[in-house]
Amino acid sequence: MTGLLRAMLREEFRLHARLFGGVRFALFPAFVAALTVGALYGLDLTGTDTGTVLAGLHALVALFGVQTGLVGLLSADALDDLLGDVTLLVSAARTLPVSERRVYAVFLLKDAVYYSGLFVLPLSFAVGGYALATGDGALAATAPRLATTLAATFVLGLSGTLTLVGTVRRGTVGKAAVVLAVAAGTAVYLSGHSLWTWTPYGAYVAPTSPRVGAVLSVVLGFAVAGWWSFDPTYRRPERRVEARFAWLADRLPADPHGLAARSLLELHRSGGGLLKVVLSAGLVSGFAVAVLDLAATITGRTPDAAVTLGALLGLTAFTTYNWLTQFDSLEGYRVHPLSVADVFRAKLVGFCVLLPVGGAFYLGAAVLLGGSPASLALGGVLYAGLSLYLFGLTVYLTGVEPNEFLFDSFLFALFTAGAALALVPVLVVGLVVPVSPGLTGGLVVLAAVLGVLGYGLVGRAAPRWEAHLLHG
């Protein structure tokens, strides 16, 4: 088992180095650390409480764990398409005398170790280093505890996703169990209990023996449940589907070539189908609500839920575009009489068709948290503008292969800077500043400008990627 774990770790490293370029990938942990230090410095200047910053770090790592589980398990076909024959060890049970369950357990352990080292440790080192540089000895002393709770948070996010997917695949009983669990969690939340105290962040804040024991039980419980409930041999049953292309293409007049209809049908028929878009939006929505809860608990001030939710739900633009392009490459369109601009326009149409999914989660969460009609409208405008901007930014930077920049430090830095430029001012308003009528007008203008900018970036992306396609 130890040998298989070492081999999987080595394989994962070689895979990323090959996909994202040796130097750019090697610089990724350094970039994460530098980005963290920059964020800490900026938040320090705004007077943001250290507790809020650390809570945000835990929430960010939890979301990363959830997204890792979603990409790897909900869309196994997309993973095969992305990785091809590079990750051979995951399939070792087909040819070697080792059970798929055992390979699956090692695979999960590998993910926990590898991504904790690649992503979590740089975060912790950055916090510790920044604390030492600013003379905050108390915070620096908690750096080892922070590294442990952040790694446990990643494991909780990953294993929680596995448990959810594995349970849903167990038919009606599994789906009913998930619905009951979500209802119970919502009821507990609405009753005023803070669910985060049962997460590793709760152990970081209050490292008492009972709290640490309870949190450890939760993390290990989800890890075992995720391993047990998810069947790595599951294959979706064969099914018959009706020919829907002509029907769908006729209803998309802005898509004269039928490319958007094709992308939507590919998504619908892939592993996980449209449920991937729904779950991604639901998870981001849950993350946004958790951020609001934490911010209110720590600062003692009620944030503007609609503005904050509208901004954070805009992040679903990246995951939606990722699902929409999971089988695409620009090279594949070269045999057709189509331009790159045609492809990007079709992706924009498909993206707009899926945009209401995130919008529905925004509206549901904002209504649940008691937003007024005016604030709901403002949050909706922000969601639309930020979504279109982030969509355009992703298309401009990555073409139709958004996965490729996940660990490319250069592209990731550009995307982070571009996203932060739009998101940070809105989040500061939502979490800290009371929204006055004048500020409302400013946010509406900002959303409109971002939407136009996103549309413009889609247009600018066409000649950029046309040249890349022709000249490399």
Side-chain angles (χ1 to χ4, degrees), residues 1-14 89 106-107 109-110 113-114:
M1 188 167 177
T2 306
L4 184 58
L5 176 61
R6 282 200 303 268
M8 281 192 174
L9 287 170
R10 190 161 53 245
E11 184 187 52
E12 190 81 358
F13 175 79
R14 287 176 177 172
L89 290 176
V106 177
F107 176 77
L109 183 59
K110 178 269 300 178
V113 173
Y114 183 84

Side-chain angles (χ1 to χ4, degrees), residues 8-31:
M8 281 192 174
L9 287 170
R10 190 161 53 245
E11 184 187 52
E12 190 81 358
F13 175 79
R14 287 176 177 172
L15 166 69
H16 284 147
R18 173 178 166 180
L19 278 177
F20 307 116
V23 175
R24 288 186 169 190
F25 173 61
L27 290 175
F28 184 77
F31 170 71

Side-chain angles (χ1 to χ4, degrees), residues 213-226:
V215 170
L216 188 61
S217 300
V218 170
V219 174
L220 290 178
F222 269 103
V224 173

